[in-house]
Amino acid sequence: MNDATPIVRKGRKFDQVLDGARDVFMVDGFEGASVDDIARAAGVSKATLYSYFPDKRLLFMEVANMECTRQSQSAVDFIDMNAAPRDVLCQAGKHFLRFITSKFGQQIFRICVAESDRFPEIGRAFYKSGPERMRAVMGEYFRAAGARGDLKIDDFTLAADQFGELCKADVWPRLMFGVIDTVSDEDIDRVVDNAVKTFLARYGP
Amino acid sequence: MNDATPIVRKGRKFDQVLDGARDVFMVDGFEGASVDDIARAAGVSKATLYSYFPDKRLLFMEVANMECTRQSQSAVDFIDMNAAPRDVLCQAGKHFLRFITSKFGQQIFRICVAESDRFPEIGRAFYKSGPERMRAVMGEYFRAAGARGDLKIDDFTLAADQFGELCKADVWPRLMFGVIDTVSDEDIDRVVDNAVKTFLARYGP
DNA sequence: TAGAAAGTGAACAGATCGGTTTATATTGTG
DNA sequence: CACAATATAAACCGATCTGTTCACTTTCTA
């Protein structure tokens, strides 16, 4: 399983291709993006592109996987495990909401939702590197906070999911469906503060 | 504005076209569906189809609008305004979650999310006939229950949104991204019961 | 510096798709 | 029955797209 797989490999222009592909896919989606456009954006000939990737679908998978893990890492690795729940939830919630309402966060969600029944691997990869990662980290914090008596939670993963969903209330769907196209900091503060309030009303000490 | 609009009209085979279009769009999405397939599924010639609808996009809009309003009406018009919060929330939540986790509910959400930046009208129409409708009805109930002292809510619409989002926790994203492909009644009960618990912990009497 | 490896540009094949046209057939109505 | 509206089937147009091929150039390396 090392040499016989003609799937992908690394070479001089590999990253160029990947970057161009990311840019075009993020603007046009999977179907909307043409390979010629990608090659042009990457500053690479189409023949070169096809020498790295066997087809468009595999190229898309590579891009999507890469972006998902890249984004989720930055969104999660800064939680202070010893801080008070109200502070941690506020900070994490705002970071989370800012990301999923960003142009980029919106688009990656859009593409994954749309394409995950044509390419089930896409959806699963996104879930694993996105929501599931958040779940794990939050669950870990909940356990620690529970041990200190700061929170009273029975089902850690469900609680983490509930908090994530609470942060989406009001503003995220309206953005997703084009009812609005900008989110103010005040909106983010308002929604997250309310999410924290509701969450702590149930799970607080 | 009555006769000069060459947009749509009603005729003998109008409903046939609409039904066929709905079936094909729901399986293949907008880009994936070909007009030839739709005409075949509708049992109608392509020329006939194009005599009713000027182009594919308008046909899709008509189908999407129709389905959104049809579904949201059935999902909302059965709330007992005088019942106790716990009962109303449980019932509404389960109805809601069952719908958005159904094959049909999933697909319409998928399409609207995917296509709502190419066709902003789609997203807005979906929001108006879906989430916004739910918001309005729940808000109305909250007001009534608040007047009776059964609930203490300051922001009705935000509370309604929070409840809707709480119902999605755990099971809906996993379904949406293909991590699972079936939802048991036990899962629905568990998630909704927990949503109600969290909601009432904050807004209960 | 010579030869191999990697990249280029452009054309090409094969296919699909949206939408139109045309000649013919079906249907409804006076 | 006759006439008009409506529907059909099939061919067709032009555009676009994925993926391949090929003759040629650039880049790396021994």
Side-chain angles (χ1 to χ4, degrees), chain B residues 12 33-35 46-47 50 55-56:
Chain B
R12 247 174 66 234
S34 83
V35 178
K46 201 157 66 147
Y50 274 104
D55 61 26
K56 186 187 179 185

Side-chain angles (χ1 to χ4, degrees), chain A residues 12-13 43 45 47-48 52:
Chain A
R12 245 172 68 234
K13 307 226 159 180
S45 79
T48 303
Y52 282 106

Side-chain angles (χ1 to χ4, degrees), chain A residues 164-185:
Chain A
E165 294 296 333
L166 279 172
C167 289
K168 292 193 201 161
D170 189 69
V171 58
W172 183 78
R174 285 193 300 166
L175 200 69
M176 212 64 215
F177 294 115
V179 178
I180 56 176
D181 48 30
T182 298
V183 177
S184 69
D185 287 348

Side-chain angles (χ1 to χ4, degrees), chain B residues 81 133-144 156-157 160:
Chain B
M81 287 288 164
R133 203 185 181 85
M134 160 132 174
R135 243 200 222 200
V137 176
M138 292 298 281
E140 198 184 332
Y141 172 76
F142 289 163
R143 201 177 307 267
F156 295 116
T157 57

Side-chain angles (χ1 to χ4, degrees), chain B residues 28 46 59 68 81 105 121 130 134 136 154 163 168 180:
Chain B
D28 296 334
K46 201 157 66 147
L59 173 57
C68 287
M81 287 288 164
E121 310 105 317
M134 160 132 174
D154 45 338
F163 180 66
K168 292 193 201 162
I180 56 175

Side-chain angles (χ1 to χ4, degrees), chain B residues 20-190:
Chain B
R22 188 202 51 201
D23 292 349
V24 177
F25 277 136
M26 284 304 143
V27 172
D28 296 334
F30 177 75
E31 298 284 0
S34 83
V35 178
D36 293 82
D37 279 355
I38 294 175
R40 200 175 307 119
V44 147
S45 79
K46 201 157 66 147
T48 302
L49 186 152
Y50 274 104
S51 81
Y52 283 106
F53 295 92
D55 61 26
K56 186 187 179 185
R57 189 175 133 276
L58 265 296
L59 173 57
F60 178 67
M61 291 278 301
E62 190 80 7
V63 168
N65 276 324
M66 188 143 295
E67 284 308 313
C68 287
T69 61
R70 200 169 67 86
Q71 288 298 332
S72 68
Q73 260 167 346
S74 93
V76 118
D77 294 345
F78 73 105
I79 290 183
D80 180 358
M81 287 288 164
N82 299 314
R86 176 164 276 104
D87 298 335
V88 170
L89 291 171
C90 264
Q91 190 153 347
K94 280 166 192 173
H95 191 104
F96 172 65
L97 188 51
R98 259 193 299 268
F99 170 61
I100 66 168
T101 57
S102 72
K103 208 71 197 157
F104 192 88
Q106 281 179 65
Q107 198 61 7
I108 205 160
F109 181 88
R110 231 182 270 277
I111 293 178
C112 287
V113 163
E115 236 62 54
S116 74
D117 63 338
R118 208 183 306 261
F119 309 141
E121 310 105 317
I122 284 289
R124 283 194 285 268
F126 172 78
Y127 185 80
K128 198 162 185 155
S129 61
E132 196 166 277
R133 203 185 181 85
M134 160 132 174
R135 243 200 222 200
V137 176
M138 292 298 281
E140 198 184 332
Y141 172 76
F142 289 163
R143 201 177 307 267
R148 286 196 304 272
D150 285 348
L151 291 173
K152 286 196 224 316
I153 298 179
D154 45 338
D155 188 334
F156 295 116
T157 57
L158 183 64
D161 272 2
Q162 283 190 334
F163 180 66
E165 294 296 333
L166 280 172
C167 289
K168 292 193 201 162
D170 189 70
V171 58
W172 183 78
R174 286 193 300 165
L175 200 69
M176 212 63 217
F177 295 115
V179 179
I180 56 175
D181 49 29
T182 298
V183 176
S184 68
D185 287 347
E186 292 78 31
D187 277 335
I188 289 185
D189 289 351
R190 177 177 59 90

